[in-house]
Amino acid sequence: MTYDLSSTGLLSPANVIAVGVSSLDDIPAELADVFGGSLAEAAGDDKFTAKAGSTWSVRGLDRVPATWLMLVGTGEGSVEDIRLAAGAAGSFARDKGAASLRLSLPGGPAHTVAAVEAVETGNYRFDRYMAEADRKNALEAVALVGLDGTEADIAIGQALASGRNLARDLVNGPAADVYPESLADTAAGLASDRMTVEVWGEDRIETSGMGGITAVGQGSDRKPRFVHMVYEPEGEPTAEVCIVGKGVTFDAGGLSLKPSTGMLTMRCDMGGAAAVVGAMSALESLGIKARVHGIFGAAENMLSGNSYKLGDIITHHNGKTVEVHNTDAEGRLVLADCLSYASNLDGVTHIVDLATLTGAAVVALGDHYTALYANEQEFSDTLRQAATDGGEAYWPMPLEPLYNELIKGTWGEIKNIGGRWGGSITAALFLQNFVGEDKIWSHLDIAGPAFLDKPERHLTKGGTGAGVPGLLAWLRGL
Ligand code: BES
Ligand code: MN
Ligand code: ZN
């Protein structure tokens, strides 16, 4: 997508002209000249209030040099408001199959970054499996009017969006095409002068003591992978951190088989790994100054004669043993090995893991909020703020040590499920067993926001790239 920052005025040719307005009294003179007062009146009749992200549209006909003219509400004009407005314009262009957009919005550099990120996030479509004739145009050219930003701001917005949209592609891709080996290949494809990517196959995983990834992956004909990426910044790193993802490319539940309805969207169960890959892909363009490790375990949780079984006792990478009480609580077994490995990276001070880990997190918080756990208050606050800055919502949850009783094992040290209640918390406590005591750690349960069953604001249904905005906002601050 190309951007033009230099042109002025609203009424130059484009498929869609989108005009940001803070109220019905804020309609620019250029439009009033064409439509007189009737534009504000018509929008008002349709209950358009200019609330951030709200829209009202009309065909341009011969009045403006565009197929569509839209008003987008900019609310109070905050960065978040501009994000919503630009996202609405981007998704309107997506619905109309528009190739060009002229977008007028107020604001400075931060608004410009958010606007570009949101236009591209809003314009995202996943239609590569559709008939050619049914695929709509993506935006090719965007002219930004009124935003006081630079080419560099545009490049940042584009990098943020492309990282997020890569994660969405990976989540939306069917499990027949996105499986452990192909997911690892996508990560390997990101290797560059600044990025090394190491991929382990099933043998190396097993001999390295990763009993969790081995057990979960063994029921599938698609063999598991373990991936370790390292981004090396230009100059001396300002920090060294690690992001870890759950990469269950399909979760059938294993022997504790899921019902069909619960299984339908379980290609989304690699959403954590997708967020890691998406975020890693953007680091160089963003000029991130920290050394960043990206790690994921990829496995398919399937049902076969070789599936791991209830009552099995798994020995994990750090030597701890776990009793399997439910093979559908597999994500924590995969993450346990990854977290133990990450904890052995000496220079790393902070670890963040992301996982579509529990239905319980969705019950608690719905599909808008990521459940945020952390072993340090300051880090919890940092990530929560980063999420807000990036346009996501994380909600703090308690790592309540009393509940460790619920996951105490009988024959092994820990069991892989707790009781009926607090399922997202007991999953987080389980993971904590595999995090080095010297590491500052956070666990993000993205089971709700990673995959939408219906469109929400400017996000299409399906994969959302949850976690990518918050991670990148955090990393940009290091
Ligand atoms: N991948 C699921 C969690 C999930 C549920 C993700 C809904 C996205 C949407 C996870 O592996 C799982 O099956 N968790 C079980 C745990 C239970 C067996 C303790 C669950 O949440 O029911
Ligand atoms: Mn499961
Ligand atoms: Zn799962």
Side-chain angles (χ1 to χ4, degrees):
M1 207 175 302
T2 63
Y3 286 86
D4 178 5
L5 267 175
S6 65
S7 76
T8 53
L10 301 176
L11 301 180
S12 297
N15 295 139
V16 175
I17 296 177
V19 181
V21 294
S22 60
S23 74
L24 283 174
D25 300 329
D26 186 34
I27 295 187
E30 266 176 287
L31 290 182
D33 287 350
V34 179
F35 291 93
S38 61
L39 192 65
E41 204 180 306
D45 281 353
D46 289 340
K47 305 273 185 285
F48 174 74
T49 59
K51 183 165 101 58
S54 64
T55 63
W56 181 81
S57 60
V58 62
R59 281 200 173 262
L61 299 177
D62 292 331
R63 295 186 171 212
V64 295
T67 314
W68 292 96
L69 172 72
M70 73 186 296
L71 301 180
V72 284
T74 56
E76 308 287 313
S78 67
V79 170
E80 181 60 19
D81 287 346
I82 296 305
R83 191 195 320 278
L84 293 175
S91 56
F92 182 84
R94 177 195 67 225
D95 290 343
K96 302 301 179 199
S100 60
L101 168 68
R102 192 165 188 82
L103 175 60
S104 158
L105 292 171
H111 302 77
T112 307
V113 170
V116 169
E117 190 266 339
V119 165
E120 301 205 5
T121 303
N123 200 241
Y124 174 87
R125 83 268 335 275
F126 187 77
D127 56 6
R128 66 181 62 157
Y129 292 82
M130 302 289 252
E132 188 99 47
D134 294 337
R135 290 183 221 163
K136 285 185 181 159
N137 281 327
L139 274 173
E140 286 160 20
V142 179
L144 295 175
V145 182
L147 280 166
D148 189 14
T150 62
E151 297 291 335
D153 297 322
I154 290 176
I156 290 171
Q158 287 192 288
L160 295 171
S162 74
R164 183 173 195 172
N165 287 341
L166 170 58
R168 295 166 87 180
D169 277 346
L170 290 169
V171 168
N172 286 328
D177 295 330
V178 180
Y179 45 92
E181 184 184 358
S182 69
L183 187 57
D185 284 347
T186 300
L190 297 177
S192 74
D193 292 350
R194 304 238 78 90
M195 185 106 72
T196 59
V197 183
E198 198 173 306
V199 178
W200 294 2
E202 49 169 334
D203 294 340
R204 178 86 189 265
I205 290 170
E206 192 173 355
T207 57
S208 301
M210 295 185 161
I213 302 177
T214 302
V216 173
Q218 76 190 32
S220 174
D221 292 341
R222 303 280 200 192
K223 294 304 167 198
R225 294 289 184 273
F226 171 80
V227 177
H228 179 188
M229 319 169 73
V230 188
Y231 163 79
E232 193 65 39
E234 217 176 302
E236 194 56 31
T238 54
E240 184 168 350
V241 302
C242 182
I243 55 182
V244 176
K246 168 180 173 181
V248 174
T249 55
F250 188 70
D251 182 11
L255 285 170
S256 311
L257 191 64
K258 284 185 185 297
S260 246
T261 45
M263 206 189 290
L264 178 61
T265 59
M266 276 304 138
R267 69 179 189 284
C268 80
D269 215 15
M270 32 60 73
V276 168
V277 173
M280 294 301 287
S281 76
L283 301 181
E284 186 170 353
S285 309
L286 293 173
I288 298 301
K289 301 213 160 45
R291 180 181 292 137
V292 183
H293 299 259
I295 286 173
F296 63 89
E300 259 186 4
N301 189 24
M302 295 289 281
L303 182 70
S304 81
N306 201 38
S307 293
Y308 78 124
K309 301 174 185 75
L310 290 85
D312 281 357
I313 298 175
I314 294 171
T315 303
H316 283 281
H317 184 259
N318 69 347
K320 288 203 183 178
T321 56
V322 167
E323 279 165 35
V324 176
H325 285 237
N326 189 317
T327 62
D328 198 12
E330 84 298 338
R332 62 198 76 184
L333 304 175
V334 170
L335 281 175
D337 290 333
C338 296
L339 288 169
S340 163
Y341 177 96
S343 296
N344 288 347
L345 300 170
D346 284 333
V348 167
T349 57
H350 293 68
I351 300 173
V352 179
D353 77 71
L354 302 97
T356 47
L357 202 62
T358 65
V362 195
V363 171
L365 298 175
D367 65 9
H368 187 61
Y369 286 95
T370 287
L372 161 67
Y373 297 85
N375 64 1
E376 193 206 60
Q377 187 59 44
E378 190 185 335
F379 192 39
S380 173
D381 296 342
T382 299
L383 286 178
R384 194 169 166 212
Q385 184 60 49
T388 304
D389 294 345
E392 287 193 281
Y394 298 172
W395 196 261
M397 299 279 281
L399 267 178
E400 175 50 61
L402 274 175
Y403 298 172
N404 276 315
E405 196 59 39
L406 301 172
I407 53 170
K408 236 170 100 85
T410 307
W411 298 283
E413 289 164 79
I414 321 164
K415 55 181 187 174
N416 78 329
I417 54 171
R420 181 152 150 70
W421 311 116
S424 171
I425 302 173
T426 48
L429 288 169
F430 178 96
L431 297 179
Q432 193 169 23
N433 284 284
F434 301 90
V435 177
E437 304 232 322
D438 58 327
K439 303 297 187 199
I440 298 168
W441 161 71
S442 171
H443 160 59
L444 301 175
D445 192 333
I446 57 172
F451 193 94
L452 295 175
D453 294 324
K454 52 170 180 22
E456 203 177 284
R457 298 185 305 173
H458 60 296
L459 296 173
T460 43
K461 72 179 187 181
T464 61
V468 176
L471 283 178
L472 292 177
W474 167 53
L475 295 172
R476 287 178 71 199
L478 293 178

